[in-house]
Amino acid sequence: MHEDLLGYLLGALEPHEMQRVSELLQSDPDARRELDEIERALRPLEEHYHPPESPPSDLVSKTLANLPPLPREDSIDNESGSVLPASLPSSSLTPMGDGVDVPGRSSVTWVDWVSGALSAAVLLGLLLPSLSEGRFEARRMACQDQLRQFGTALTQFVLRDEQSRLPAVAKEGPEAFAGVYAVRLNDAGLFPESATRWCPSVQPPSEDELQLTTLGELPTADELHVASIDQLRELQRFAGGHYAYTLGVVDGKQFGSPRFESRSSFAIMSDAPTNRFVGYQATPNSIGHSGYGINVLYEDGRVQFISLSSLESIPDHPWLNHNGQVEAGVNIDDASLAPSWRPPFSTVRQR
């Protein structure tokens, strides 16, 4: 199983094997924990990887200029076609040091070393990008698996709700933040796992950042109301993890939670911006997955990866309402997602 998880993380498995491991990760908490451990062990390799420098443009011409000249015509045996021994000119290459004995040759020259080094550089240049791309795909798929787990939990939550509504974000007070979704699911006994809220493509918070909270636990709604101001700020910041949740909608003049209707175009969760996204333009620095795009969970359970280049062109921007603001949707079909700490309205008091 360890080898399968490693291959899954690197994207080196066949499609049917990737699907098999993906299904296992959804049903086996031990497998997910082992995958997280492997991912943490490999993360330093990617963080310290630097693409090899390209060889100088004149390397080939310089190498050819220093190669021994071709044998003269008078040094070729016309009958046998073999090359007769001939003294090399003074410009011929000299061995490196004492050289290395090779059958049929006097020594290994620096040209041989350069050729070997170039071959190794070419191989590394081909392999390392493939490895990096495989890790990117594995993390993207692992993130999608986590969003599907959230989708399953949200579906069960809606089935229990009398009005078939998604978890409610309060209009004001300690529960007026997007990440209260995780708190609601946890209180209902539906939250998949605490670690599920951390996207595999983003480094989890350090212990210093979580000094006022507990990484392995989620607060209850009651605990939000009795927390100190500093604790509440940290709980609101980290409760939802690396994901963004719908802030709610305004139905007529009344603010509330969206009614679940299995719409294919209504986003309910996504990767959250990695900084305080407030403008209309997303940049590689504001999104995870190496700045390439975000995973979005829609109301019908579909998870789609949206690239950075197409994020601004989709009809309903997942991080902005129809007024171009990071606030609750302006109508029942306006999905607006925000990171954990974000309130439904900019003027809301969160304590």
Side-chain angles (χ1 to χ4, degrees), residues 322-343:
H322 290 173
N323 290 336
Q325 298 174 325
V326 188
E327 292 189 347
V330 297
N331 57 59
I332 60 174
D333 294 317
D334 183 9
S336 180
L337 313 180
S340 180
W341 58 271
R342 193 83 188 192

Side-chain angles (χ1 to χ4, degrees), residues 119-180:
S119 300
V122 170
L123 287 175
L124 286 175
L126 293 174
L127 292 176
L128 290 179
S130 299
L131 178 62
S132 178
E133 182 179 354
R135 288 174 57 79
F136 166 77
E137 288 296 327
R139 288 178 175 178
R140 181 177 66 84
M141 293 183 64
C143 174
Q144 291 180 343
D145 288 340
Q146 293 186 176
L147 285 174
R148 291 189 183 96
Q149 293 178 49
F150 271 105
T152 301
L154 288 169
T155 301
Q156 295 176 359
F157 183 93
V158 168
L159 292 175
R160 298 181 184 182
D161 187 78
E162 294 181 355
Q163 298 182 350
S164 298
R165 293 186 180 273
L166 293 166
V169 177
K171 188 174 182 179
E172 60 182 357
E175 299 178 35
F177 66 103
V180 78

Side-chain angles (χ1 to χ4, degrees), residues 262-280:
S262 297
R263 290 164 287 187
S264 61
S265 59
F266 192 88
I268 55 177
M269 279 186 65
S270 75
D271 290 298
T274 54
N275 59 15
R276 296 196 171 191
F277 172 83
V278 294
Y280 191 83

Side-chain angles (χ1 to χ4, degrees), residues 163-218:
Q163 298 182 350
S164 298
R165 293 186 180 273
L166 293 166
V169 177
K171 188 174 182 179
E172 60 182 357
E175 299 178 35
F177 66 103
V180 78
Y181 258 58
V183 177
R184 304 272 191 240
L185 291 176
N186 190 51
D187 285 350
L190 298 173
F191 198 82
E193 272 192 11
S194 181
T196 308
R197 55 192 167 132
W198 309 118
C199 175
S201 72
V202 184
Q203 184 71 32
S206 64
E207 293 185 3
D208 291 339
E209 292 179 293
L210 293 164
Q211 57 183 340
L212 296 178
T213 64
T214 303
L215 178 62
E217 298 178 359
L218 278 168

